[in-house]
Amino acid sequence: MRAITISTPGGPEVLQVTEEPTPDIAADEVLVTVHAAGINRADLLQRQGFYDPPAGATLIPGLEVSGTIAELGSEVTGWKVGDRVAALLSGGGYAESVPVPAGQLLPVPDSLDLTEAAGLPEVLATVHSNIVGNANIQAGEWLLVHGGGSGIGTAAIQIAKYLGVKIVVTVGSERKAEFCRSLGADAVINYRDEDFVERVHEICVRPDGSTGADVILDIIGAKYLKSNVKALGTDGRLVIIGMQGGAKAELSIASLMQPRKSVAGTTLRARPKEQKIEIIAEVAAQLWPAVISGDIRPIVHETMPLSDAPKAHTALEEGASIGKVLLIVDESAPAAKSEQHV
């Protein structure tokens, strides 16, 4: 099968199309013929040599795909060959075939474009498991999400609105701000022009008159740690899921204790298979009906053929995209319409 492999840690140019053996499947897995694969920042970190796959996982990058089931493991029930699926992976998505534990599959309805479906598993699982599972967000609370125009950000806006959560996002341009408002963001802060801590306390006002975000979903890390804690209200919860702004920072414990603030850091890829299956089951039960109805939709900025993986990584690194960049692995199929927010 054709796959994208990493010749050596480095820039986008180290991504190469190679011929690899078609993988075998375990008894509880299915083999998916990949139609499209989502690009995530974790893929960029892996390419650079900063984010190794979990033990036992393939070195082929790619954490989410859409496609059709080509083969069933002997213990798999509830699925059949030919079913259209989207899947959460530990790796291997940048390839023509990938083995997937059956519990990490989501059914793609006829109403959903198969290409666009590739942009949903990772963002839905990440956002839901962190704001609901880790932070226990409640309807009516305020959520702050950094990077509102990203794949995570655009998904978080839609999920928040669906759950009855009020959401404010940070962005770096008016173009992204306008799109986030159109998705339903209650407020948008341009971090280049405004102090987001000050603005959050102006925007996020609770019924008792206190201010600050109830939950913050952060992709920046060290650079924003102190500011994020200041932006939280009493009993606020900060969940860090990325380190684009570094991995080390100092923080006064006193700033957490009296206002009962908490800080957690999580990753999705390194979780055991059993936890990923639980997360996908929660996504299927709580969010997938909204995907089927169209209340939550994939936001696709651009699609590129598998052979253009270096170009796709460059596009994500440059930060101009709104929503997801996808690789079309089945290059014989027509691509979905990209939104191309300019």
Side-chain angles (χ1 to χ4, degrees):
M1 66 176 185
R2 290 188 313 142
I4 296 293
T5 55
I6 301 169
S7 59
T8 185
E13 70 280 355
V14 305
L15 298 173
Q16 300 180 348
V17 179
T18 58
E19 290 290 330
E20 303 295 323
T22 300
D24 296 324
I25 58 172
D28 64 344
E29 294 180 331
V30 305
L31 186 68
V32 173
T33 298
V34 178
H35 174 77
I39 306 286
N40 292 280
R41 288 200 173 269
D43 305 339
L44 276 56
L45 291 174
Q46 179 181 340
R47 187 204 74 220
Q48 295 164 347
F50 299 137
Y51 193 16
D52 291 335
T58 176
L59 297 178
I60 297 170
L63 302 180
E64 59 185 346
V65 297
S66 64
T68 56
I69 295 177
E71 183 181 346
L72 300 173
S74 60
E75 297 177 2
V76 175
T77 60
W79 299 96
K80 65 181 184 299
V81 171
D83 281 349
R84 290 161 33 108
V85 294
L88 179 70
L89 311 172
S90 296
Y94 294 13
E96 291 181 320
S97 297
V98 64
V100 185
Q104 292 173 213
L105 297 173
L106 291 161
V108 176
D110 291 339
S111 60
L112 181 60
D113 182 271
L114 189 58
T115 296
E116 292 181 331
L120 287 174
E122 178 76 14
V123 292
L124 295 189
T126 296
V127 174
H128 190 270
S129 66
N130 282 294
I131 69 171
V132 176
N134 290 326
N136 192 31
I137 202 164
Q138 301 295 310
E141 288 192 313
W142 277 101
L143 169 66
L144 168 64
V145 175
H146 293 296
S150 66
I152 291 290
T154 54
I157 293 169
Q158 297 179 82
I159 292 170
K161 304 313 293 181
Y162 184 68
L163 297 178
V165 171
K166 294 175 287 189
I167 182 168
V168 54
V169 299
T170 63
V171 298
S173 70
E174 181 55 35
R175 178 177 68 94
K176 291 185 177 182
E178 181 179 350
F179 186 78
C180 290
R181 292 188 193 101
S182 75
L183 271 186
D186 293 282
V188 181
I189 301 169
N190 189 325
Y191 65 83
R192 300 185 191 277
D193 302 328
E194 303 174 282
D195 182 330
F196 80 80
V197 176
E198 180 179 323
R199 289 289 291 129
V200 163
H201 282 283
E202 292 172 354
I203 295 165
C204 303
V205 180
R206 298 163 172 176
D208 64 1
S210 63
T211 63
D214 295 289
V215 175
I216 298 176
L217 187 64
D218 175 54
I219 60 173
I220 303 299
K223 181 180 178 181
Y224 275 11
L225 180 60
K226 290 182 181 179
S227 295
N228 277 331
V229 170
K230 290 179 181 178
L232 287 173
T234 301
D235 293 311
R237 293 87 77 194
L238 167 62
V239 184
I240 303 170
I241 60 170
M243 297 181 291
Q244 294 180 34
K248 294 183 179 181
E250 291 186 359
L251 181 67
S252 168
I253 301 301
S255 67
L256 301 176
M257 293 179 67
Q258 187 171 355
R260 301 182 302 278
K261 299 176 181 179
S262 62
V263 179
T266 71
T267 63
L268 180 59
R269 186 183 194 183
R271 289 176 184 248
K273 177 176 67 175
E274 293 75 17
Q275 290 187 20
K276 292 178 183 175
I277 290 173
E278 289 178 5
I279 290 169
I280 289 298
E282 291 169 358
V283 168
Q286 299 181 37
L287 297 182
W288 210 244
V291 172
I292 294 172
S293 68
D295 291 320
I296 295 175
R297 63 187 177 93
I299 305 300
V300 179
H301 179 82
E302 191 171 7
T303 62
M304 301 184 192
L306 181 68
S307 54
D308 278 350
K311 182 180 176 182
H313 273 223
T314 299
L316 192 60
E317 285 179 327
E318 289 176 345
S321 58
I322 296 178
K324 300 288 292 193
V325 177
L326 305 177
L327 290 176
I328 305 299
V329 179
D330 179 6
E331 297 180 15
S332 65
K337 181 181 178 181
S338 301
E339 299 208 16
Q340 289 287 359
H341 310 291
V342 296

